[in-house]
Amino acid sequence: MSESMGKNTAGELERDTIEELIRTAVDQLAYSYAPYSNFKVGAALLAGDGRIFTGCNIENAAYTPSNCAERTAFFKAVSEGVRDFRAICIVGGKGGNPTGYVAPCGVCRQVMMEFCDPETFRIILAYGRENCRIFRLKDLMPEGFGPGDLNP
């Protein structure tokens, strides 16, 4: 596995954990519902307790009601009472074939800000099963607005 991390590190994530998240996210591509864009995305969200919650993108003919893979995974976890997260892996591409690194959209980044520590939460962007880039949430959401900003 090739790993490009820039100025940040994988932190406490073990190589085996990263590989498992990549495999799980790639497997989610098969469940994607993307009849309009044919751009399939899979996600694997690692909770603090070690459980992995999965997600895929779900499109809608009206577009606005569509849901990204990342938010699908977060909403599944939160709906089961989980609020502690360590990392998420995201993969995607046309026809379900990873064609490059797929970063989370702004809405997904904002959902991550709601539930994750920007200093420690890791976002793994994977290109298939072989290559990945790892970022901290604060690197992809600098000066982000989160729950702490609402405290007096």
Side-chain angles (χ1 to χ4, degrees):
M1 171 173 48
S2 166
E3 205 168 298
S4 170
M5 295 184 267
K7 57 188 169 183
N8 54 329
T9 66
E12 68 281 349
L13 293 177
E14 300 283 333
R15 184 180 193 91
D16 289 346
T17 301
I18 294 168
E19 290 174 355
E20 180 181 7
L21 289 171
I22 293 171
R23 279 191 306 274
T24 304
V26 168
D27 290 347
Q28 291 308 298
L29 294 170
Y31 301 109
S32 172
Y33 179 74
Y36 308 104
S37 71
N38 196 33
F39 194 92
K40 298 181 178 202
V41 181
L45 175 64
L46 178 63
D49 64 6
R51 286 188 284 171
I52 296 175
F53 292 86
T54 58
C56 63
N57 59 323
I58 304 166
E59 293 182 347
N60 186 286
Y63 290 104
T64 302
S66 297
N67 202 49
C68 297
E70 303 92 299
R71 282 183 281 144
T72 299
F74 269 98
F75 296 162
K76 285 168 67 174
V78 171
S79 73
E80 293 184 28
V82 178
R83 306 277 192 291
D84 178 33
F85 304 104
R86 293 178 54 203
I88 191 166
C89 178
I90 306 159
V91 299
K94 282 284 192 181
N97 299 312
T99 54
Y101 296 110
V102 178
C105 73
V107 175
C108 288
R109 293 175 198 204
Q110 189 61 51
V111 168
M112 292 175 197
M113 283 294 296
E114 185 69 23
F115 296 105
C116 305
D117 179 348
E119 293 286 336
T120 61
F121 185 74
R122 298 297 194 254
I123 300 168
I124 304 163
L125 307 181
Y127 183 73
R129 298 179 192 265
E130 300 303 317
N131 300 300
C132 72
R133 296 175 67 196
I134 301 173
F135 300 90
R136 291 176 294 180
L137 176 55
K138 79 174 202 169
D139 297 326
L140 295 184
M141 189 75 163
E143 303 302 319
F145 185 87
D149 293 302
L150 296 175
N151 294 332

